[in-house]
């Protein structure tokens, strides 16, 4: 049994924190929503538990709990949950419990200002929603009036580690820049729901959005929830506990549209490619598009960046997106990108559904290139590329060249002298690669001391380690960037985190691929 207690509110500077104590068997958890900015406090809903009930529901269903509410719940909301939502999800997913909810019902209406809002992330789905609804051609009552900034979203990779606050701050700056251009106010909201659920964000994002939006439903009359990559044809409630909850958005959004706020699935009729094609020539997209999984800038190599770049490529718009992507780098790696495209299509990879339209367009324009890749990439070859053996072999060749060069004592002394002239003695090695091993082996001869290596490992090592996502680097004479596959990417990441001198390994080592 989970006991959901009455909402408490407290002020912390300009922030209003709403919380409800969850009594879960022998444990307690303070579920909270933070509303930033004094002007938004008056829109908080505190007389009922609707928002917090929605937030705790996935935990209860996953862990076999009923819920007892110590305050009122809107009758229409409880009807939706009991007669539609919980029954449906538990029916089609044996891992979800048919949670029973005990609550006092209220039919009192919540006053509402009629604002129209959407979440801002600068991704493809977000930009589609904004561009389509900034000035709605259908109704003034659907034109955007506010943007919401959440602490939850499609933040992958490093965004869940110790530097999360640093990264989220940078992302919020991007989102604020878009809002300023649109001259729309931004409301910053956050919740600690992730700490309770402890599951991947794509399995609970609609609950995080719901608890935050419903908390200020005195303001928001319409919320445009940016649909995910698929369209309505992908709707499904089967086995939803183990996959992206957005497949069930139509049901989820219907069930929370019970009172003052109506939730639309914005863009749900279009695929990701159709959305991108629609927004591709809009100046906002060329200036503000951001959807990287790994960095707080578009890295160009993660699956989301790769999908976007291939889409832009298919639409013949590469040179128009130089403000948001390193297009020259993509052009240099284009053959690798096309191999990735073919692999995803032929083997139904992670991004298959996003790339199918793109594949057909590029194959129609460049049939010989795509057919050559398909012919050359046999199953065995594809496995090799998937395991990165080919790329590793190229890197190994480059480092062998550097080892051969340094086998000459004169060359070693020349490099040592160059380092002495720049007063470089104490260094940090960023990234673990073959180049890292080389510098460790020659450290004494080069007269350098390796203070740290940047690498995520748990066990103790002879040389201390710093995590990849370090924000504040210790002072040193130089950070040597040993990422020889994507040196520009790593250097850009380092430049926004440290004032230490940054040197690429290839600037001091002979890392040409030829032997």
């Amino acid at each position: 049994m989970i006991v959901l207690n009455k909402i408490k509110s407290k002020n912390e500077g300009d922030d209003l924190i709403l919380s409800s104590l969850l009594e879960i068997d022998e444990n307690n958890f303070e579920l909270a929503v933070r509303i930033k900015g004094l002007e938004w406090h008056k829109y908080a809903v505190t007389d009922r538990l609707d928002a917090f009930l929605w937030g705790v529901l996935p935990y209860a269903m996953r862990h076999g709990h009923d819920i007892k509410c110590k305050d009122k719940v809107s009758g229409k909301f409880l009807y939706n949950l009991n007669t539609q939502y919980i029954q449906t999800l538990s029916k089609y997913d044996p891992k979800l419990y048919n949670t029973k909810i005990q609550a006092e019902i209220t039919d009192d209406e919540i006053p509402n200002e009629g604002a129209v809002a959407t979440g801002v992330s600068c991704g493809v789905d977000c930009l589609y929603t904004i561009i389509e609804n900034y000035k709605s051609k259908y109704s003034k009552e659907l034109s955007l009036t506010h943007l919401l900034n959440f602490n939850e979203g499609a933040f992958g990779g490093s965004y869940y580690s110790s530097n999360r606050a640093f990264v989220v701050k940078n992302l919020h700056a991007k989102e604020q820049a878009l809002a300023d251009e649109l001259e729309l106010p931004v409301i910053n909201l956050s919740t600690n729901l992730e700490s309770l659920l402890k599951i991947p964000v794509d399995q609970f994002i609609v609950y995080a959005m719901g608890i935050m939006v419903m908390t200020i439903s005195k303001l928001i009359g319409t919320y445009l929830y940016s649909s995910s990559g698929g369209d309505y044809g992908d709707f499904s409630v089967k086995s939803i506990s183990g996959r992206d909850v957005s497949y069930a958005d139509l049901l989820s959004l219907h069930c929370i549209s019970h009172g003052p706020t109506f939730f639309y699935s914005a863009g749900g009729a279009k695929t990701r490619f159709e959305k991108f094609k629609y927004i591709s020539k809009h100046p906002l997209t060329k200036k503000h598009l951001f959807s990287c999984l790994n960095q707080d800038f578009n890295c160009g190599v993660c699956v989301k960046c790769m999908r976007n770049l291939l889409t832009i490529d298919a639409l013949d718009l590469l040179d128009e997106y130089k403000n948001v992507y390193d297009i020259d780098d993509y052009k240099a790696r284009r053959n690798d990108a096309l191999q990735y495209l073919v692999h995803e299509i032929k083997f139904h990879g992670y991004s298959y559904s996003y790339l199918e339209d793109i594949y057909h367009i590029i194959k129609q324009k460049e049939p010989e290139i795509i057919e050559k890749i398909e012919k050359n990439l046999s199953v065995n070859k594809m496995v090799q590329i998937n395991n990165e053996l080919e790329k590793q072999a190229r890197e190994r060749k480059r480092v062998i060249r550097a080892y051969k060069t340094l086998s000459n004592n004169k060359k070693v002394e020349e490099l040592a002298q160059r380092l002495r002239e720049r007063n470089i003695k104490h260094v940090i090695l960023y990234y673990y690669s073959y180049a890292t091993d080389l510098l460790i082996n020659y450290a004494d001869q080069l007269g350098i001391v390796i203070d740290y290596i940047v690498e995520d490992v748990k066990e103790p090592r002879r040389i201390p380690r710093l995590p990849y996502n370090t924000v504040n680097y210790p002072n040193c004479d130089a950070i040597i960037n040993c990422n020889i596959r994507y040196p520009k990417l790593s250097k850009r990441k380092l430049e926004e985190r440290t004032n230490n001198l940054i040197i690429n390994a290839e600037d001091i080592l002979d890392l040409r691929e030829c032997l």
Side-chain angles (χ1 to χ4, degrees):
M1 173 71 72
I2 297 175
V3 177
L4 187 59
N5 284 281
K6 289 186 176 183
I7 294 173
K8 295 181 180 179
S9 60
K10 69 175 182 178
N11 292 90
E12 193 173 278
D14 291 343
D15 297 357
L16 176 66
I17 302 172
L18 304 181
S19 64
S20 173
L21 179 66
L22 307 181
E23 300 175 35
I24 308 173
D25 294 333
E26 303 298 321
N27 302 309
N28 293 339
F29 183 88
E30 195 83 19
L31 183 59
V33 173
R34 181 184 291 262
I35 305 170
K36 299 184 179 183
L38 292 170
E39 66 269 39
W40 312 116
H41 293 187
K42 61 185 177 183
Y43 300 114
V45 177
T46 58
D47 69 335
R48 65 196 71 195
L49 287 169
D50 295 9
F52 288 85
L53 175 57
W54 179 247
V56 76
L57 185 61
Y59 183 91
M61 294 185 70
R62 285 168 178 269
H63 296 277
H65 291 289
D66 294 322
I67 302 173
K68 182 177 181 180
C69 299
K70 288 287 190 75
D71 205 353
K72 298 183 290 292
V73 172
S74 296
K76 292 179 180 178
F77 182 45
L78 193 58
Y79 172 81
N80 286 349
L81 294 183
N82 280 341
T83 67
Q84 299 176 60
Y85 196 73
I86 297 172
Q87 285 189 32
T88 300
L89 295 192
S90 59
K91 179 180 180 181
Y92 290 101
D93 190 335
K95 294 182 180 179
L96 294 179
Y97 172 65
N98 188 4
T99 295
K100 313 299 187 300
I101 302 172
Q102 303 174 32
E104 179 186 349
I105 291 171
T106 178
D107 286 326
D108 293 345
E109 293 186 1
I110 298 173
N112 181 267
E113 294 290 321
V116 181
T118 191
V120 56
S121 68
C122 297
V124 173
D125 301 318
C126 159
L127 288 172
Y128 177 85
T129 300
I130 289 174
I131 291 170
E132 174 74 2
N133 298 283
Y134 179 53
K135 301 291 183 184
S136 176
K137 62 183 179 182
Y138 298 104
S139 170
K140 291 182 179 179
E141 294 182 2
L142 291 175
S143 294
L144 286 170
T145 61
H146 294 73
L147 298 177
L148 304 188
N149 211 330
F150 301 137
N151 72 320
E152 297 291 359
F155 307 149
S158 64
Y159 296 0
Y160 286 115
S161 56
S162 59
N163 70 330
R164 179 169 182 152
F166 170 83
V167 174
V168 170
K169 181 180 178 181
N170 287 353
L171 297 185
H172 283 188
K174 294 178 186 293
E175 294 152 3
Q176 186 64 55
L178 173 59
D180 290 344
E181 185 164 341
L182 296 170
E183 297 184 338
L184 292 177
V186 178
I187 307 172
N188 289 294
L189 302 165
S190 62
T191 179
N192 63 343
L193 182 61
E194 179 189 2
S195 298
L196 170 69
L197 298 178
K198 297 179 180 177
I199 55 178
V201 68
D202 62 358
Q203 294 180 19
F204 75 88
I205 186 61
V206 73
Y207 301 101
M209 177 279 298
I211 189 175
M212 289 185 274
V213 174
M214 291 164 71
T215 294
I216 57 168
S217 58
K218 288 182 181 179
L219 171 65
I220 300 172
T222 300
Y223 186 78
L224 302 168
Y225 184 56
S226 296
S227 66
S228 192
D231 59 16
Y232 289 143
D234 295 320
F235 172 79
S236 174
V237 294
K238 294 181 178 178
S239 303
I240 204 66
S241 64
R243 60 198 188 109
D244 192 333
V245 73
S246 67
Y247 286 108
D249 275 353
L250 281 176
L251 178 63
S252 301
L253 299 180
H254 164 73
C255 288
I256 58 177
S257 298
H258 65 277
T261 306
F262 189 90
F263 293 81
Y264 283 96
S265 177
K270 293 187 179 295
T271 64
R272 178 71 55 75
F273 177 76
E274 290 170 335
K275 291 180 191 176
F276 204 117
K277 187 175 181 180
Y278 177 84
I279 67 174
S280 62
K281 294 187 179 181
H282 198 286
L284 279 179
T285 312
K286 299 170 186 177
K287 191 174 180 180
H288 296 285
L289 175 62
F290 168 80
S291 55
C292 185
L293 276 176
N294 296 330
Q295 309 296 343
D296 50 3
F297 55 86
N298 289 320
C299 72
V301 298
C302 73
V303 291
K304 280 199 167 188
C305 285
M306 191 70 81
R307 291 193 311 234
N308 283 352
L309 283 162
L310 285 164
T311 306
I312 297 166
D313 191 343
L315 296 171
D316 294 323
L317 296 172
L318 283 173
D319 290 335
E320 297 184 30
Y321 278 82
K322 288 188 173 181
N323 288 331
V324 290
Y325 281 103
D326 188 338
I327 297 300
D328 291 335
D329 180 63
Y330 170 76
K331 288 179 177 178
R333 297 184 295 102
R334 187 170 186 263
N335 191 61
D336 288 342
L338 294 180
Q339 289 184 6
Y340 166 77
L341 172 65
V342 172
H343 174 269
E344 291 296 285
I345 296 301
K346 293 302 180 184
F347 295 92
H348 282 227
Y350 174 78
S351 294
Y352 170 79
S353 61
Y354 298 96
L355 294 173
E356 193 172 12
D357 291 333
I358 299 159
Y359 165 79
H360 291 301
I361 291 172
I362 294 180
K363 185 171 183 177
Q364 185 177 19
K365 291 192 299 184
E366 304 177 70
E368 293 182 0
I369 291 176
I370 298 300
E371 287 170 9
K372 182 178 179 181
I373 292 174
E374 290 175 340
K375 182 178 180 181
N376 291 340
L377 297 180
S378 63
V379 173
N380 289 335
K381 188 72 171 179
M382 292 303 299
V383 171
Q384 286 182 348
I385 290 178
N386 196 44
N387 291 332
E388 297 191 337
L389 295 179
E390 189 174 283
K391 292 178 182 178
Q392 289 179 20
R394 291 202 299 265
E395 292 168 16
R396 194 177 293 114
K397 286 180 182 179
R398 296 173 66 186
V399 174
I400 289 173
R401 169 89 184 196
Y403 267 109
K404 285 188 173 182
T405 302
L406 292 178
S407 65
N408 183 317
N409 290 335
K410 182 179 178 181
K411 293 291 185 181
V412 174
E413 179 53 34
E414 286 177 358
L415 177 54
Q417 180 62 28
R418 285 167 54 199
L419 295 172
R420 287 195 296 270
E421 288 173 354
R422 300 179 70 178
N423 295 316
I424 295 174
K425 181 174 177 61
H426 287 272
V427 301
I428 295 173
L429 303 185
Y430 180 85
Y431 200 82
Y432 203 95
S433 69
Y434 298 119
T436 312
D437 284 331
L438 185 151
L439 289 168
I440 292 171
N441 290 338
Y442 279 87
D444 291 341
Q445 293 169 261
L446 295 174
I448 59 174
V449 176
I450 301 171
D451 293 338
Y452 298 96
I453 296 175
V454 180
E455 180 199 19
D456 283 333
V457 292
K458 294 181 180 179
E459 65 273 15
R461 297 286 185 94
R462 179 172 60 86
I463 301 173
R465 260 52 173 182
L466 292 173
Y468 276 129
N469 300 308
T470 296
V471 172
N472 298 311
Y473 282 83
N475 289 330
C476 63
D477 299 323
I479 297 178
I480 301 178
N481 175 19
C482 295
N483 185 347
I484 56 179
R485 186 178 300 181
Y486 302 119
K488 289 173 64 177
L489 173 60
S490 291
K491 188 173 183 182
R492 182 175 174 184
K493 178 179 178 180
L494 287 166
E495 285 174 342
E496 66 173 21
R497 294 158 190 256
T498 179
N499 291 321
N500 285 315
L501 174 66
I502 303 166
I503 301 173
N504 286 336
E506 59 191 13
D507 294 335
I508 58 174
L509 301 174
D510 187 350
L511 291 172
R512 290 174 292 171
E513 189 171 327
C514 58
L515 296 177

